[in-house]
Amino acid sequence: MEAHGQAHMGVLTPAARRVLDTAAELFYGQGINAVGVDLIAKRAGVTKKTLYDRFGSKETLVAAYLRERDERWRAWLTAEVEKSPPADRALATFDALAEWVRRENPRGCGFMNAAAELPDAAHPARQVIADQKHWLRGYLRELCEQAGVAAPDELADELLLLHEGGTVLNGLSVVIDPVGIARRLAQRALERART
């Protein structure tokens, strides 16, 4: 239990760090259900006992992987957005997203991929996924307020749908530059919201 608490707090032993890094690479690259703890332990250079001592279960490890991915995304997004003037920050989220999907998301959104693999609402990762999407919606709402739009809740919903759609379609190669298209649609939505 204490080790699980450590993982949640971000204080990891070197072995736990290797396990989490390995799990993140494998879960995102191959899929959560396709990757077993035997493979994670082997690739991380630890025993299964060490993996379980540090994380308690595969379910907890999946949640830790998603939580850490969310923390990286939030830090990246907010740092990139802060470079823009307040009136332009809602749109700047799409510029940051374009760079993120190019570097970090060749297989689409890690959270949506995980949600598709984890239908059980009681799985601990489902709450992490929901928290990530709620946070993004709240952040977009805050940026809409900074932009001075009349209906920030409505616009935040639209921008969230555009973010998610751009991210998902980016992983499927259905349209060329889906995040760029989402950005153009977001710009139109922002212009309408300001009039």
Side-chain angles (χ1 to χ4, degrees), residues 8-40:
H8 182 70
M9 298 296 290
V11 179
L12 299 174
T13 65
R17 176 82 267 157
R18 287 194 313 276
V19 167
L20 187 55
D21 290 345
T22 302
E25 180 182 335
L26 292 170
F27 288 155
Y28 185 77
Q30 297 180 24
I32 292 167
N33 292 332
V35 173
V37 293
D38 289 325
L39 178 60
I40 296 167

Side-chain angles (χ1 to χ4, degrees), residues 23 94 164:
F94 290 89
E164 294 302 314

Side-chain angles (χ1 to χ4, degrees), residues 62-136:
V62 171
Y65 144 66
L66 290 170
R67 191 176 304 108
E68 188 167 83
R69 187 174 182 89
D70 181 29
E71 289 168 4
R72 284 191 307 113
W73 162 242
R74 290 184 195 202
W76 162 260
L77 181 64
T78 54
E80 290 299 302
V81 167
E82 290 293 315
K83 296 174 184 175
S84 297
D88 299 333
R89 288 179 178 168
L91 201 55
T93 63
F94 290 89
D95 299 325
L97 177 62
E99 178 63 18
W100 179 265
V101 298
R102 187 186 66 73
R103 291 182 329 137
E104 304 280 341
N105 273 16
R107 290 192 62 244
C109 176
F111 300 94
M112 295 310 297
N113 293 350
E117 288 195 72
L118 305 171
D120 181 2
H123 192 291
R126 294 295 295 207
Q127 187 61 53
V128 177
I129 296 164
D131 289 347
Q132 194 274 332
K133 301 307 177 189
H134 286 291
W135 174 84
L136 181 56

Side-chain angles (χ1 to χ4, degrees), residues 28-67:
Y28 185 77
Q30 297 180 24
I32 292 167
N33 292 332
V35 173
V37 293
D38 289 325
L39 178 60
I40 296 167
K42 181 179 177 185
R43 291 260 182 101
V46 301
T47 64
K48 271 185 14 179
K49 180 182 181 324
T50 298
L51 185 150
Y52 285 119
D53 283 349
R54 300 304 185 272
F55 293 96
S57 67
K58 181 180 176 183
E59 291 77 14
T60 303
L61 179 58
V62 171
Y65 144 66
L66 290 170
R67 191 176 304 108

